[in-house]
Amino acid sequence: SMVTLRARRALRTPPSTETADSTPSLIANDEEDCKRQVSTIQQTALRLPEGMIIDGEHWPPIFCAENVRSAKALKPRPDDVFICTYPKCGTTWIQHIVHQLLGKTDYEAAVDDDENDNVPSSSAEHGDEKKDNMAFAAMCFVSPMIERMGAAYSDTITTPRVLKSHFTYGNIPKGGAAKYIYAVRNPKDCLTSYFHHNRNFKIYNFEHGEFDVFFELFMQGKVGFGDYFDHLTSWLEGIDKAEEKILFLKYEDMVADLRSSVVKIAEFLGGKSAEMIRNEQELTRIVEASTLSSMKKNQQRWFPNKQLHRGEFIRKGGSRDWKNQFSSEQSRRMDTRFRQRCAATAAAEWWHTEMAWNLIRPLTSIDVGSEVSSYASSATSAASPLSFTSSSSSIDFSSRFRLLSINPDLEGCYSPMVEESIDRDRVDSLQFPFESLRTEGIIEEQE
């Protein structure tokens, strides 16, 4: 079916000439006029992020077939730790936590200035030259993405290696008693963060790209690293097989309780890492250094600033930023795709709040006269028992209060699953003026 995009398409700039025997052509009065016309076309054309296809798979534009293929054949070491995600699902965050737990944080001193581009060669280097380079290298070089840098480069990393990958489970190197940390994030926030990522990294040539364009590409799986749902379901199947040592994390759980997530990672790594977090002072230090606000400082630690338009790799973090980008139609389409692709998986029960178009507001009081002056309701489900108290005497009874479906355009009406619109006073058999309801704060993840 035809999909309408908000992206601007290039219009042919007048003046032009057309004849029966010729195609339309632009007329430039002079060289400067020609440059202006070219600039206009470039600025208004439908932009697509650059990329490439290797062996039928979608990759960012600077990847090479040799490195991707060699990474698939990489031989894991017994003490390797693989950080495995789809892009923008907490990869750098987890890398930083793991490196602290292993005591490997040389990247904290990364330098990114005119004298030092902070970009070691992707080919294998040996001896003092490599050591000198790595002494000031950002995390992306000391903890490399194996499919970007290749097996030869990855083999130069000292043990224990912390290796990053956006491979599907089918492509990730296996065996050798290595450990794998797999993290997921809801697709709406993932897509939104990936959109900003593509605009920020110079390699994509998408600085002024539009969200609608990227949304369509993401839904088709035609972005770097391929289809989100193919990646997710492949790893869920891999976890079910229980053939490898895999720790599963959700990005949203890390946002909600970072401390518990650090402990979980440390216990999974075992050894000195597990011992480290038994020291309350050490645990607190790692947690504080791993907050999003802390990681937004000195961002040359993660990637060289020169690779970015904004010089800022970590943009925002948190949940529900997608509401600043998605239209209601795009939200519904993603919900449908999610249900279709995840129906037979554990993911079908995830992210109800994070992906909801509207959120429930907890109803805290009601004023319908002297007989019923207040009630308490958790408002955590579509149907909640209400406990009423009278101003004159104690009246304790239960009822069922249910908002079947609420029009999201009406103020004060919130529902996590909006399928259709109904009148605002359609509230089962409970009769009272809707305007008398008073609400307090939306239940929402804090960013």
Side-chain angles (χ1 to χ4, degrees):
S1 60
M2 181 67 70
V3 176
T4 302
L5 301 178
R6 289 201 299 264
R8 298 168 296 173
R9 295 183 179 274
L11 300 177
R12 195 174 53 191
T13 305
S16 65
T17 59
E18 298 184 35
T19 66
D21 300 323
S22 65
T23 56
S25 62
L26 297 175
I27 295 179
N29 296 325
D30 53 37
E31 184 177 353
E32 289 301 316
D33 187 25
C34 179
K35 288 181 179 179
R36 283 193 296 271
Q37 290 182 13
V38 170
S39 176
T40 299
I41 292 174
Q42 290 176 340
Q43 290 174 12
T44 59
L46 181 63
R47 295 177 181 274
L48 301 176
E50 293 185 7
M52 62 191 309
I53 295 178
I54 300 173
D55 299 332
E57 299 168 340
H58 288 268
W59 298 99
I62 59 174
F63 281 47
C64 71
E66 179 184 357
N67 286 353
V68 171
R69 292 166 186 163
S70 71
K72 293 177 181 179
L74 181 146
K75 296 186 182 301
R77 300 172 188 169
D79 51 4
D80 280 346
V81 181
F82 288 86
I83 313 300
C84 307
T85 65
Y86 188 82
K88 313 315 295 179
C89 293
T91 324
T92 303
W93 197 4
I94 298 170
Q95 283 177 283
H96 184 45
I97 293 171
V98 170
H99 274 90
Q100 292 177 88
L101 290 169
L102 295 177
K104 300 183 65 174
T105 57
D106 289 347
Y107 57 85
E108 297 277 16
V111 177
D112 190 27
D113 53 31
D114 293 337
E115 283 76 36
N116 187 353
D117 284 343
N118 196 12
V119 186
S121 169
S122 62
S123 61
E125 296 178 356
H126 301 279
D128 293 337
E129 182 180 354
K130 179 181 186 299
K131 291 180 180 179
D132 290 342
N133 280 345
M134 297 304 284
F136 300 98
M139 178 187 282
C140 60
F141 301 112
V142 300
S143 180
M145 183 192 301
I146 58 174
E147 54 267 45
R148 164 71 178 99
M149 306 299 277
Y153 180 90
S154 301
D155 285 341
T156 68
I157 304 298
T158 57
T159 296
R161 298 185 297 185
V162 181
L163 303 174
K164 163 185 172 180
S165 179
H166 295 316
F167 272 146
T168 60
Y169 181 79
N171 284 335
I172 199 73
K174 303 177 186 68
K179 294 180 178 178
Y180 302 81
I181 300 177
Y182 174 63
V184 297
R185 188 182 192 183
N186 79 80
K188 293 182 180 179
D189 278 318
C190 174
L191 186 159
T192 300
S193 183
Y194 203 14
F195 163 67
H196 289 289
H197 176 95
N198 273 251
R199 295 184 85 183
N200 191 21
F201 271 76
K202 295 177 181 179
I203 61 172
Y204 293 105
N205 193 25
F206 194 62
E207 183 182 7
H208 302 292
E210 300 203 24
F211 180 79
D212 288 1
V213 174
F214 190 82
F215 177 87
E216 297 300 332
L217 294 173
F218 187 96
M219 295 294 283
Q220 298 170 33
K222 295 181 179 179
V223 292
F225 306 103
D227 186 271
Y228 167 94
F229 293 102
D230 286 348
H231 193 279
L232 173 62
T233 55
S234 77
W235 273 95
L236 294 181
E237 291 170 1
I239 292 172
D240 288 342
K241 291 179 181 178
E243 296 174 347
E244 307 295 333
K245 300 174 183 177
I246 304 175
L247 172 65
F248 171 76
L249 298 172
K250 283 199 287 186
Y251 178 96
E252 292 80 7
D253 292 343
M254 294 180 65
V255 171
D257 189 352
L258 178 58
R259 186 184 186 86
S260 294
S261 299
V262 171
V263 171
K264 185 181 295 186
I265 294 170
E267 292 175 344
F268 176 71
L269 296 175
K272 293 182 178 179
S273 299
E275 293 177 8
M276 183 182 296
I277 54 99
R278 295 191 185 103
N279 182 315
E280 185 64 27
Q281 187 175 355
E282 282 294 290
L283 175 58
T284 299
R285 178 185 62 80
I286 294 173
V287 171
E288 290 179 351
S290 304
T291 61
L292 292 175
S293 59
S294 177
M295 291 186 63
K296 288 179 181 179
K297 302 174 182 176
N298 306 321
Q299 294 206 37
Q300 72 274 7
R301 294 178 287 171
W302 321 125
F303 281 89
N305 290 336
K306 291 182 180 180
Q307 296 184 13
L308 314 174
H309 287 296
R310 295 194 307 272
E312 183 181 66
F313 175 66
I314 296 177
R315 183 185 64 91
K316 192 169 186 179
S319 296
R320 294 186 60 79
D321 186 44
W322 63 268
K323 280 298 296 283
N324 296 317
Q325 297 289 346
F326 276 59
S327 67
S328 59
E329 174 61 22
Q330 288 169 337
S331 179
R332 283 192 289 269
R333 286 177 59 192
M334 180 61 81
D335 290 341
T336 300
R337 177 66 57 83
F338 180 80
R339 289 193 294 269
Q340 291 171 342
R341 295 299 308 273
C342 298
T345 72
E349 300 302 320
W350 301 343
W351 300 316
H352 292 302
T353 299
E354 291 81 2
M355 293 179 62
W357 178 255
N358 291 311
L359 293 172
I360 293 177
R361 284 188 177 184
L363 304 175
T364 60
S365 63
I366 180 173
D367 182 11
V368 294
S370 60
E371 290 301 316
V372 179
S373 61
S374 66
Y375 74 90
S377 173
S378 65
T380 56
S381 63
S384 303
L386 302 184
S387 177
F388 290 85
T389 302
S390 171
S391 58
S392 57
S393 62
S394 178
I395 303 176
D396 196 359
F397 62 93
S398 293
S399 177
R400 301 299 289 179
F401 180 81
R402 188 156 57 101
L403 303 182
L404 297 178
S405 184
I406 304 299
N407 186 338
D409 296 326
L410 296 178
E411 183 180 357
C413 300
Y414 291 85
S415 173
M417 298 297 292
V418 177
E419 298 295 340
E420 60 180 346
S421 299
I422 64 169
D423 295 335
R424 62 189 293 154
D425 58 353
R426 181 180 168 187
V427 184
D428 279 355
S429 60
L430 213 61
Q431 300 297 318
F432 53 82
F434 196 93
E435 287 73 12
S436 65
L437 293 178
R438 294 194 294 273
T439 64
E440 293 180 0
I442 298 175
I443 300 172
E444 183 173 354
E445 287 284 344
Q446 297 300 311
E447 296 186 353

